[in-house]
Amino acid sequence: MLLEVKGMNTFYGNLHAIWDIDIQVEEREVVALIGSNGAGKSTLLKTIAGSIPMERGSMVYDGKSFGPGYGRKASMMVKMGMTLCPEGRHIFPRMTVEENLKMGGYTRKKGELSAGYDRVYSLFDRLKERRSQPAGTLSGGEQQMLAIGRALMSSPRLLMLDEPSLGLSPLLTEKIFELILEIRNQGTTILLVEQNAVSALSVANRGYVLKVGHITGSGTGKELLESQEILDSYLGG
Amino acid sequence: MKIQKVKKGILPVLLIAALYGIPFCVKNQYMLRIGVYVCIYSILACSLNLISGVCGQVSMGHAAFYGIGAYASALVAIHFGINWVVCVIAAAIAAGVIGVLIGIPALKLSGGYLVICTVGFGELVRLILLNWVSLTRGPMGLVNIPRPVLFGVTIKSGSQYMVVALTLFLLIYLILHNILNSKYGRNLKAIREDEIAAETMGIHVHREKVIAFAIAAAMAGAAGSLLAHYMLFISPTIFVGDFSTNILSMVVLGGMGFMPGSVIAATLLTVIPETLRGLDKYRMLIYGFLLIGLMLGKNVSWETTALGRWGAGIWGKIRQRRGLKEGDGKV
Ligand SMILES: Nc1ncnc2c1ncn2[C@@H]1O[C@H](COP(=O)(O)OP(=O)(O)OP(=O)(O)O)[C@@H](O)[C@H]1O
Ligand SMILES: [Mg+2]
């Protein structure tokens, strides 16, 4: 098991955002987390990544256990091969495409960077054409590709993608999901948050349904796609 | 390749030589005095540019570190009679350590909250300097600050001091230049561009900010030392909030994150008020309008004006001649 979360709780001040979450991610799986707006999906990813502290619960990642509190930092998790590609792109607009990728490889040694560029450019040929262009001038879709490519530069073992299809055309969304499978086939485990439940579940091995901070369902991608649960939770029933 | 590198190296060397020429050619004491102030203010503007321009953490308390450095240096010199070089280092360390202590809590804040916090810090330091009479002599200020002695020479004349100030400035500028081109410099830029992204890259955002804040504070402290041993008298009225605003204006005018700009702006904002001295009571009025005009002018995109197009054309030809590709060397 690559990641096991047990009884995770996160608060924003007095707001109890996620409650007693248990999730498991096996090596080389694509796991989808779905749920409506404000369900706490991003909060869960950020807590796992260590950018907001876990109030109660525990987590085992790559054989190491972590307890609650402020001790675990995001920078530490990236070094351990856990990379979050945050919701809403967050590229560095005034840096060029290649500089963005270079920042992505921040935790890597200099010698390992060129292999990283090769991997990203072979996945996203568009980025190669635009390598010396400021990232802020890319189209929305290209920026999303850059955000994913940049996250890959840290050669993560666990890549967490927060709504990669946000604001993309249906065609590009399909392409992104194809790429997600390709990245998985290259050996990277993926934890995927999506609004686009149907697409997400069709590429996922397994999925969890999150509803106002609680997990209300889980199963294989196929099971969830066929269940009433999805219709209820996802369409806000 | 090699020839290009040499060519690139020549310009800065010529520029530095020209700068060192100033104290030897200029005999007018008043001009030399302005020269010393330009050096001091350039250090202040460039160091503030590191934390506020490059890293995006706007501070309005920079004069406080300048003051801490000035007092630390003067007190060490008065009470222990140590060599000035040690005093500068003491000033930088004092300001740097306080920078760390303030930076750790303050840099958890962002935007306007950080600005207010640094304004408060600046005021706090001023009040301490004013009221800790047993140490700082309060409003009476510190007097009889010893002149620097370097290699057995007492630095007395304006031109001698200009050489000292210029050397310290160039040293600090070189340090900043190297920081900007290092991995650490890129981290700071990434933090300014997008803090969330920087964090997800694995950058220790808070720690990097605190380090930059401390470096900037230490450099301002060194500038304070330069001032104290030049004026030979310091009082809390120099290190007020207004002055922090002035330094920030230099950074904004010169361009956030652009070091040569800070030097040019520091020079302009020192020289302009001096040249307006003859106009007496209209001086600050004109200065105010000029400042507004400069700020507005800065935001005009020059490529759209006739002069700008002409300039851009020539610049393009020069680059073509030197065999540079379009887009090379852009920030
Ligand atoms: N920084 C914050 N401070 C306070 N409350 C927050 C903060 N971030 C999120 N919340 C709240 O926590 C809850 C969960 O938010 P979260 O961003 O995790 O939802 P989400 O499932 O990712 O939604 P979406 O699909 O819209 O992105 C929401 O009610 C939100 O208002
Ligand atoms: Mg979200």
Side-chain angles (χ1 to χ4, degrees), chain B residues 271-284:
Chain B
V271 172
I272 291 174
E274 290 298 331
T275 49
L276 293 176
R277 254 183 215 289
L279 298 166
D280 199 29
K281 63 183 168 187
Y282 298 111
R283 176 170 156 245
M284 286 327 277

Side-chain angles (χ1 to χ4, degrees), chain B residues 247-297:
Chain B
I247 308 169
L248 191 61
S249 314
M250 293 170 189
V251 176
V252 174
L253 181 63
M256 301 285 262
F258 185 54
M259 286 295 164
S262 288
V263 179
I264 294 167
T267 309
L268 280 179
L269 296 194
T270 312
V271 172
I272 291 174
E274 290 298 331
T275 49
L276 293 176
R277 254 183 215 289
L279 298 166
D280 199 29
K281 63 183 168 187
Y282 298 111
R283 176 170 156 245
M284 286 327 277
L285 192 69
I286 297 172
Y287 177 67
F289 275 116
L290 270 175
L291 197 56
I292 294 171
L294 282 171
M295 294 283 180
L296 288 175

